[in-house]
Structure formats: C-alpha cells, structure tokens
Amino acid sequence: MRANFLKHVAQTSPAPMGLEIAGGEGVYLIDTAGKRYLDLIAGIGVSALGHNHPAVVEAVQRQAGTYMHTLVYGEFVLGTQVELATLLCTHLPDSLDNVYFTNSGTEAVEGAMKLAKRVTGRAGIVAARRSYHGSTQGAASLMWPKDFTRPFHPLLPGISHLEFNCDADLGRITTDTAAVVLETVQAEWGIRKPRPEWIQAVRRRCDETGALLILDEIQAGMGRTGTLFAFEQYGIVPDILLLAKGFGGGMPLGAFVASRELMQSLTVDPVLGHITTFGGHPVSCAAGLATLRQLTDDSDLIASVPQKEALLHRLLVHPKIRHLRSAGLWMAVELDDFDEVRRVIAGCLERGLITDWFLWNECSLRIAPPLTITEAELEWACGVILESLAA
C-alpha cells in the first residue's frame, strides 16, 4: 500500500507523514496495525466533531441513499442545501442572509473576490501579510511572502498587503480597493488574534472607502474560538463571510455568505457569473447540516472551549516552550526552531499523538483538536507533548 501511495498518489511534500489509516473514532485515528492516535489537529480543523460522529454518518448515509448529484449548482431546489443555508443564516447577522455553497475554502475565496469586484466595479484587493487563503491562483495571489507562489507567477495583479494589527497600514485601503480579505484570526502565522480596536478600524475604513470586508473563517469558524464565528467577539460584521473545513463535518464543503442584494449581482451581466458543478453537493450539505445542528443544539460543546483553552495553558509548561498563543481550542506552542518542532512531532507520533506545524511559523506546534475532546484526553495529550520535549 505504501509503495503504491508514493508511486500513484500525487505528493505535496518530499516527506509525507505516511500513516496508513484504517479507521477513525471520535478523537482517534487508527492505523492498519491497530494503533490508535489521538488526533490533535482534526485534519487541520476539519473534524470539529471528531471522526465518524454518529449524527454526521447517519445524515451522509441517508442522503446518499436518497439522491446524490442532480444538476449543476443552483438549478434545482435541493432539501439539504436549503435547510443548511436557512439554519446557517439564523445564526448570522441579518445582513448575511444569502449562501453560495462551494466545494472548498479556496473556492469560497475565489467566489468572494469575484463578487467584490462585480459589486464595486474595482480591481484592487488588500490582504494581510502571512495570511493563507488557499492554493488556486486567485487565492494564492493573496499570499505574502511569495515563497510558495513565486514559481507560479504571474498571478493576479492589483494585490497589496498590510501588516496585521498595524494602524499605519490602514491607508492602504483606498477608493480603488474592491475588498479587504482578512482571516479573523491569522492561522498559519501561528494563531495571531487581532486587536479589537484594529479590526474595528478596518471595518470603519472599508465603510469610508466603499470597500467590502471579507472575513475568512475557514479555520476560525464553527466554534473553534469559543463562539460559533470568531467575528462575534469583535463587535463587527463582514460584508462577506468565508466558511469551509469544519463547516462540512468531514465532507468537502465551503461557502461564501453575503446579503441577497450583493449576491444577486452574480446572476446578471453576465448571467451565470459564478457557477460550479459540485458545489453544495447534497451529501456534503447533509453532513454540514448535521454538524451545525450538533454545534448549536449541544450547549456545552462550544461553551466548554474557554475552559479547555485554560487547561492547555495550565498544563503546557516547560523550559523549551517559549510562548503559547491561543484562540479558543486552537493553539500555537512556540519552541526554539523547526528542528525542535520536527523532533517533537516525531516523538508525539511515536507515542500515539498527531500534531503538526504552521505554514508561516515553523517554530510552533499546532494544536486544534476536535471540539469533542475531553479534559482527560487533553491532559494525556499535553503529557505526551511534555514527554516528547523532554526526550
């Protein structure tokens, strides 16, 4: 199996983790030898309810046995799409009442960028340095630094960058700006939260210049930071909200959400201004609907996030840990350098714990477990990290 994996499955790096997965259950993944691994990164924030959550599995099986693909997105009235969009909008501000479903986060970014250009008639996009919004050419154009994109240039023109949390850079948002695209919490820079007054100033600057504010909650959404959506903690509302990863409950699903007034602009001049064949697939929407219901019906699931966050801060104390940054059940454990991070990741894996690093912060360990993780499981995981650091 491993040889054919390396030979026939396209690789993303020279050294994949290479676990041979046979099953998943709750916060655990199980390899073909029967070894259980506590998954401390939840598929990079995807498995918010853990692996094989019964409600999600039942919803997927029921929908797959009813119908799957019918026609390109937006032509037929499909129950799971309508129910998910309706439930999602009941948990969002009134101005976010229209959902365009996609297959992934990067496609949500692409759709939102097109929508902003269509609505404003402008071409400029402002993004934050050390952000990550996806790998398609439009989304990748938002990246800075250009280490991961330079071999693929030229990308989109008209992209400029500001420093996250920098007041002086707000002047980069002008009347030529179609949209400002920000992660509500910067993920790949190692969990950097915005100062409330800064992100509120960004909102005001967008209003002053007529630019749209696009908030990327592809990783920060779905309860990860202690509220269903991270922007709720900052007293602002975006013009366009981006969702994916945990939104699909383990199935491929993303969305960009805006007002119906804005979204209607994609239907005319030209008609079919944005289309997708598989976006909002009925089975993926069934999984997303079951996930959102579970997150909103179980009052303890998101409410317990701050307590679990505090537990991580109490337990992760070691001379080699330089700093802890967190946003709910989402943490960067900063060590000396990448070599130390790699040693700890390897040590954790050997002991049955899956961890990872960050794209723009190689000296930090990533912690983003399923929200269903118990305090006892967190205590065990922190013990393994400390053992690996000591070793």
Side-chain angles (χ1 to χ4, degrees):
M1 186 71 73
R2 184 180 300 273
N4 285 335
F5 165 73
L6 294 171
K7 182 177 181 180
H8 296 299
V9 179
Q11 303 295 298
T12 57
S13 79
M17 200 173 291
L19 290 182
E20 294 188 38
I21 301 301
E25 180 184 19
V27 297
Y28 293 95
L29 289 171
I30 303 144
D31 71 12
T32 51
K35 183 176 179 179
R36 291 163 67 86
Y37 297 84
L38 195 154
D39 185 1
L40 209 57
I41 55 173
I44 312 298
V46 167
S47 304
L49 299 180
H51 302 284
N52 280 354
H53 190 282
V56 178
V57 171
E58 193 275 332
V60 166
Q61 291 174 337
R62 183 175 65 251
Q63 183 58 46
T66 305
Y67 62 82
M68 290 190 280
H69 181 69
T70 57
L71 189 62
V72 294
Y73 175 71
E75 293 298 323
F76 289 167
V77 180
L78 305 181
T80 56
Q81 284 181 0
V82 176
E83 288 184 71
L84 177 53
T86 301
L87 181 60
L88 177 61
C89 291
T90 64
H91 291 283
L92 286 168
D94 292 343
S95 59
L96 297 173
D97 64 354
N98 207 253
V99 184
Y100 195 113
F101 290 112
T102 64
N103 299 283
S104 66
T106 190
E107 291 179 46
V109 173
E110 296 284 350
M113 291 169 71
K114 287 175 66 177
L115 178 59
K117 290 181 175 182
R118 175 68 181 80
V119 167
T120 64
R122 304 172 184 177
I125 304 285
V126 176
R129 297 187 179 104
R130 292 172 292 276
S131 61
Y132 178 79
H133 300 285
S135 289
T136 52
Q137 292 197 62
S141 300
L142 303 177
M143 273 196 212
W144 184 98
K146 303 293 185 182
D147 307 50
F148 288 88
T149 64
R150 190 166 289 108
F152 313 111
H153 285 192
L155 297 176
L156 282 185
I159 310 295
S160 59
H161 294 89
L162 53 73
E163 193 71 39
F164 202 72
N165 276 332
C166 176
D167 295 328
D169 279 1
L170 295 182
R172 296 177 183 272
I173 306 167
T174 71
T175 52
D176 293 323
T177 304
V180 178
V181 186
L182 295 176
E183 296 165 285
T184 314
V185 175
Q186 282 206 304
E188 299 305 324
W189 195 20
I191 316 303
R192 312 278 180 160
K193 294 193 290 189
R195 291 183 291 109
E197 60 272 18
W198 180 78
I199 201 165
Q200 290 162 8
V202 173
R203 173 70 275 181
R204 289 194 300 272
R205 182 65 181 165
C206 287
D207 292 339
E208 291 165 2
T209 59
L212 300 187
L213 176 59
I214 301 173
L215 287 185
D216 179 339
E217 297 222 1
I218 290 165
Q219 290 193 60
M222 309 311 292
R224 175 63 55 190
T225 66
T227 50
L228 189 57
F229 306 106
F231 74 80
E232 298 175 62
Q233 301 170 30
Y234 296 99
I236 61 167
V237 177
D239 297 296
I240 307 175
L241 176 68
L242 309 179
L243 300 172
K245 291 193 182 291
F247 182 53
M251 293 291 287
L253 184 66
F256 57 103
V257 188
S259 69
R260 187 175 184 275
E261 179 185 4
L262 292 184
M263 205 74 85
Q264 284 291 99
S265 67
L266 292 177
T267 66
V268 294
D269 299 325
V271 67
L272 305 177
H274 192 68
I275 54 176
T276 171
T277 298
F278 293 111
H281 191 282
V283 177
S284 294
C285 284
L289 179 60
T291 299
L292 184 57
R293 281 176 173 162
Q294 193 71 28
L295 286 171
T296 53
D297 290 348
D298 185 342
S299 59
D300 291 334
L301 202 52
I302 296 177
S304 66
V305 164
Q307 184 175 330
K308 293 173 181 177
E309 178 183 18
L311 180 63
L312 287 170
H313 279 273
R314 287 200 304 272
L315 294 176
L316 288 174
V317 178
H318 191 279
K320 290 184 178 179
I321 295 177
R322 302 304 179 199
H323 195 59
L324 297 175
R325 288 182 303 278
S326 64
L329 200 48
W330 196 18
M331 177 175 279
V333 182
E334 190 166 309
L335 307 178
D336 278 335
D337 52 38
F338 188 46
D339 288 337
E340 186 73 49
V341 168
R342 286 193 300 177
R343 283 193 292 271
V344 173
I345 289 173
C348 287
L349 199 60
E350 185 179 343
R351 293 169 172 82
L353 182 68
I354 299 172
T355 58
D356 205 357
W357 47 286
F358 295 93
L359 191 63
W360 305 124
N361 190 322
E362 294 182 340
C363 63
S364 294
L365 280 176
R366 181 194 299 265
I367 294 178
L371 304 186
T372 53
I373 195 168
T374 65
E375 291 193 8
E377 288 163 341
L378 278 175
E379 289 173 4
W380 181 85
C382 288
V384 169
I385 291 172
L386 296 177
E387 285 177 21
S388 300
L389 279 167

